[in-house]
Amino acid sequence: RNDNLAIHGLNIAEVAGLLRSASYGTKVSEFRGNGIDEYDIVVKMHKDQINDLQKLQELKIRNRRGELVMLRDVVDFSIEPSLASITHRDKKRTITVTANNAFYEDKGMRKKRTTDEVMRILNGNKLTGKKGTLSNLHKRFPGYQIEYGGVVEEQRKSYQSLFLAFGIALIVIFSILATQFRSYIQPLVVMLTIPFSIIGVTIGLLVTGLPFSLTVLVALVALAGVVVNDSLVLVDFVNRERRAGSNRWQSLINAGMTRLRPIILTTVTTIGGLMPMILSRAKAAQDWKPMAVGIAFGLGFATILTLLVIPVVYSIVDDIAGKFGSKQFPTRLSFKEAMKLGCKIEDAILNGEEDIH
């Protein structure tokens, strides 16, 4: 009560000092024994006097005029909850809320919510437009902001490190392919299978209903180095055929016929090795199932598109390179010219000609 304090010649700091001294004590001197050790002499009220509200109200404080004034005459006492401690971060007051992921029942099975599910419940889903519990927090409570720590913070750091690893993997793959092909364009054609694998991973998660997790991101990084093998084998075979003198279209056809079986068998055996984990219902395999699904669907989808799209992209890129005067290969025929040449060779063979030019 500021009015009473002023009337009695006191202020808030003096009252606070009295209560602090009564509760925690005040150092008044030091005691030194026979040795060199020193002990603080602290004067404070007995615990019974501090814990008893009635006795606390009867504490007296001396004002500037030398008068003793009871606290009850200048202070209103009330029992209310308060913060046990006040913490700051970046010069701002913070409140820490800790919790663990809860279990829930789904079709008679007891499951534990993942961190991603909890974050969607709290923040909503931007893709579907679904609002979360803490959506529009800044509008509802101006001046407040939320920072996530614990598992979420560690997960965010893991995502950042994996994205960095993914970028480094792409640079290394491109460098190796550019050295192999001695070209800056053909490595991009080979690496076109990486976006195909990402599409396959997305489809696989949607089909199986599994969430996007850290293990899926690990699968994407792994797929970046796996899916390029099929297109690498295909493009390398086409280049060797063309260096041997075959035209572009005949090289593409030969590559598709010759390399189809190895590519399909490699993909099938890899997916077959992942099937036990994908089909397993054991609790130990649940955390790794998204990664297995991601690799299987990503590799399968990339393989199919590699056989269909890579030859088309290769021919388009080769046409563009030919218009700019590229002389990487000795023969560069259009599709119509290749068809005419094929018909001419077929007729010559049927007519029994031995010398075919």
Side-chain angles (χ1 to χ4, degrees):
R1 292 178 291 182
N2 293 332
D3 294 340
N4 288 344
L5 286 174
I7 293 173
H8 290 86
L10 296 170
N11 56 44
I12 297 177
E14 291 172 337
V15 175
L18 172 65
L19 293 174
R20 182 174 60 253
S21 299
S23 302
Y24 302 103
T26 300
K27 178 182 176 182
V28 294
S29 183
E30 294 180 350
F31 172 77
R32 177 176 296 177
N34 296 329
I36 61 175
D37 295 332
E38 295 182 352
Y39 303 93
D40 295 335
I41 299 176
V42 178
V43 177
K44 64 178 180 178
M45 300 294 293
H46 196 273
K47 290 184 178 181
D48 294 340
Q49 293 177 296
I50 299 300
N51 295 334
D52 190 341
L53 183 60
Q54 182 66 29
K55 294 180 179 180
L56 188 63
Q57 292 176 348
E58 294 176 355
L59 284 178
K60 295 180 180 180
I61 182 172
R62 191 176 298 276
N63 62 15
R64 301 184 187 92
R65 297 188 292 270
E67 301 171 347
L68 291 175
V69 181
M70 284 192 179
L71 286 182
R72 68 171 64 186
D73 296 331
V74 293
V75 177
D76 291 330
F77 290 84
S78 62
I79 300 177
E80 296 179 0
S82 64
L83 294 175
S85 62
I86 299 176
T87 58
H88 291 79
R89 182 177 180 181
D90 297 333
K91 299 180 180 180
K92 296 179 181 179
R93 291 180 59 173
T94 61
I95 297 176
T96 303
V97 179
T98 59
N100 293 323
N101 296 356
F103 290 89
Y104 67 100
E105 297 290 335
D106 182 22
K107 298 180 180 179
M109 298 180 63
R110 191 167 182 262
K111 298 181 179 179
K112 187 176 183 179
R113 293 197 182 277
T114 63
T115 303
D116 293 330
E117 289 177 330
V118 174
M119 293 303 297
R120 284 196 297 269
I121 293 173
L122 294 176
N123 297 329
N125 192 327
K126 293 182 179 180
L127 296 177
T128 60
K130 186 178 180 180
K131 299 294 184 181
T133 306
L134 301 179
S135 297
N136 300 323
L137 178 74
H138 299 290
K139 295 181 179 179
R140 293 157 52 192
F141 305 100
Y144 289 86
Q145 62 182 15
I146 297 178
E147 293 183 5
Y148 295 96
V151 176
V152 176
E153 185 176 7
E154 294 301 322
Q155 191 178 63
R156 178 180 59 81
K157 293 179 180 178
S158 300
Y159 283 152
Q160 290 178 348
S161 62
L162 282 175
F163 278 123
L164 178 61
F166 186 71
I168 295 175
L170 294 180
I171 295 174
V172 172
I173 292 172
F174 179 84
S175 301
I176 295 174
L177 293 178
T179 304
Q180 175 70 23
F181 292 122
R182 297 179 182 178
S183 170
Y184 295 108
I185 303 300
Q186 287 193 352
L188 297 178
V189 177
V190 174
M191 295 175 65
L192 190 62
T193 55
I194 297 177
F196 296 162
S197 67
I198 296 176
I199 297 173
V201 171
T202 304
I203 294 175
L205 295 178
L206 292 175
V207 170
T208 57
L210 295 174
F212 183 87
S213 60
L214 186 63
T215 56
V216 177
L217 194 56
V218 174
L220 288 175
V221 177
L223 281 172
V226 174
V227 296
V228 296
N229 293 336
D230 295 339
S231 58
L232 173 62
V233 169
L234 196 65
V235 173
D236 182 66
F237 187 88
V238 174
N239 291 342
R240 284 191 293 168
E241 286 282 299
R242 297 190 67 183
R243 291 191 186 97
S246 300
N247 63 71
R248 178 180 61 193
W249 298 105
Q250 190 63 39
S251 299
L252 289 172
I253 294 173
N254 291 340
M257 294 172 58
T258 306
R259 296 303 179 189
L260 176 63
R261 181 178 294 177
I263 290 175
I264 294 296
L265 289 178
T266 302
T267 301
V268 170
T269 52
T270 303
I271 295 176
L274 295 170
M275 288 306 295
M277 185 178 295
I278 295 175
L279 300 177
S280 176
R281 294 187 177 182
K283 293 183 178 180
Q286 297 304 312
D287 293 337
W288 299 102
K289 183 177 290 188
M291 183 180 70
V293 170
I295 293 177
F297 276 83
L299 183 59
F301 200 85
T303 299
I304 296 173
L305 290 182
T306 295
L307 296 173
L308 298 176
V309 178
I310 293 301
V312 177
V313 176
Y314 182 96
S315 62
I316 294 174
V317 171
D318 192 65
D319 278 337
I320 296 175
K323 292 181 180 179
F324 284 94
S326 174
K327 297 181 180 180
Q328 184 178 3
F329 302 108
T331 58
R332 197 179 295 274
L333 300 177
S334 65
F335 183 73
K336 292 182 178 179
E337 291 173 339
M339 291 298 294
K340 291 180 180 179
L341 180 60
C343 293
K344 182 178 179 180
I345 294 174
E346 184 179 358
D347 292 339
I349 294 175
L350 293 175
N351 294 329
E353 297 180 12
E354 297 181 358
D355 188 11
I356 302 174
H357 298 282

